[in-house]
């Protein structure tokens, strides 16, 4: 099983600042990496797939990068609606696996 | 507008069974592979099972093999998850989600249904 590790667990950021979230895979997943945003009481929402492709309707302030085992999600200028939990997920290997999540909170 | 609506959750005793349903609208359901994903209280996401659009192939995560069965009825735009021999570790919100045409990740999600396994 491919273990996904996200860091940090919690990121405190002021509105308007940049946030960089990390996701590491225990083995290569090529570019088969997706990011999701989840707000309390809601289902996750797909942000990024293919490590760097924004899903339909996702603002340009969200960008993804990396390949192999190291990935990042960057939010260039945090808006109030961006404070949430972010999950990465690999889909190169079965079973599909998620990281433990990074909570982005208001500083 | 795409809608996925789960139902069938509730409280069940250890060793019991439940069947979850997910009704899809706003999409050509028979074109999409479908997944179940769960989230235990205050925990991360865990993929549970996948079924292809034509029911040809399905996969389960190891912890539910032999206990959970994913199925679908394309004539009813409905996905199912039959859950048997439930344990307290299966307590979670269960989400259904559509597969992507770009690899097995999750595009559209339902709102989830809560399954609580407790004596």
């Amino acid at each position: 099983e491919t273990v996904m590790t996200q860091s940090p667990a919690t990121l405190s950021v002021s509105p308007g600042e940049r946030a960089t979230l990390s996701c590491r895979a225990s083995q290569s997943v090529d570019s088969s990496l997706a990011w999701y945003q989840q707000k309390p009481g809601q289902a996750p929402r797909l942000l990024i797939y293919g490590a760097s492709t924004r899903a339909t309707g996702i603002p340009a302030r969200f960008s993804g990068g990396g390949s192999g085992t190291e990935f990042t999600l960057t939010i260039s200028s945090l808006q109030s609606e961006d404070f949430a939990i972010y999950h990465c997920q690999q889909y190169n290997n079965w079973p599909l696996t998620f990281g433990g999540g990074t909570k982005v909170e208001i500083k | 507008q795409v809608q996925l609506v789960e139902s069938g959750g509730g409280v069940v005793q250890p060793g019991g069974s439940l069947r979850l349903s997910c009704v899809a609208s706003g999409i050509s359901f028979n074109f999409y592979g479908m997944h179940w994903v769960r989230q235990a209280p205050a925990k991360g996401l865990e993929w549970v099972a996948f079924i292809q659009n034509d029911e040809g192939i399905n996969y389960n995560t190891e912890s539910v093999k032999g206990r959970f069965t994913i199925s679908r009825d394309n004539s009813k735009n409905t996905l199912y998850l039959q859950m048997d021999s439930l344990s307290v570790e299966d307590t979670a919100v269960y989400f259904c989600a559509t597969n992507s045409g770009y690899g097995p990740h999750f595009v559209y999600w339902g709102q989830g249904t809560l399954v609580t396994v407790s004596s």
Side-chain angles (χ1 to χ4, degrees), chain B residues 11 99 114:
Chain B
V11 181
N99 194 41
L114 176 62

Side-chain angles (χ1 to χ4, degrees), chain B residues 8-9 72 103 119:
Chain B
R72 63 192 295 161
S119 54

Side-chain angles (χ1 to χ4, degrees), chain A residues 7-91:
Chain A
S7 61
T10 303
L11 187 60
S12 298
V13 186
S14 299
E17 289 189 339
R18 172 188 293 257
T20 302
L21 290 66
S22 295
C23 176
R24 173 177 292 177
S26 62
Q27 60 184 298
S28 176
V29 298
D30 292 332
S31 294
S32 299
L33 192 285
W35 290 93
Y36 303 86
Q37 177 193 67
Q38 187 178 27
K39 297 179 181 179
Q42 295 186 17
R45 175 175 73 143
L46 177 65
L47 297 176
I48 300 283
Y49 64 94
S52 60
T53 302
R54 278 188 302 277
T56 302
I58 301 304
R61 64 180 181 273
F62 291 92
S63 62
S67 66
T69 62
E70 301 282 344
F71 300 89
T72 57
L73 174 70
T74 300
I75 312 170
S76 60
S77 176
L78 271 155
Q79 307 298 302
S80 57
E81 62 267 28
D82 300 335
F83 292 96
I85 296 174
Y86 293 83
H87 307 271
C88 64
Q89 177 240 332
Q90 68 80 21
Y91 54 95

Side-chain angles (χ1 to χ4, degrees), chain A residues 36 38 43-44 49 89 91 98, chain B residues 39 45 47 104-106 109-110:
Chain A
Y36 303 86
Q38 187 178 27
Y49 64 94
Q89 177 240 332
Y91 54 95
F98 290 90
Chain B
Q39 187 169 35
L45 298 165
W47 170 76
H105 59 277
F106 319 104
W109 296 69

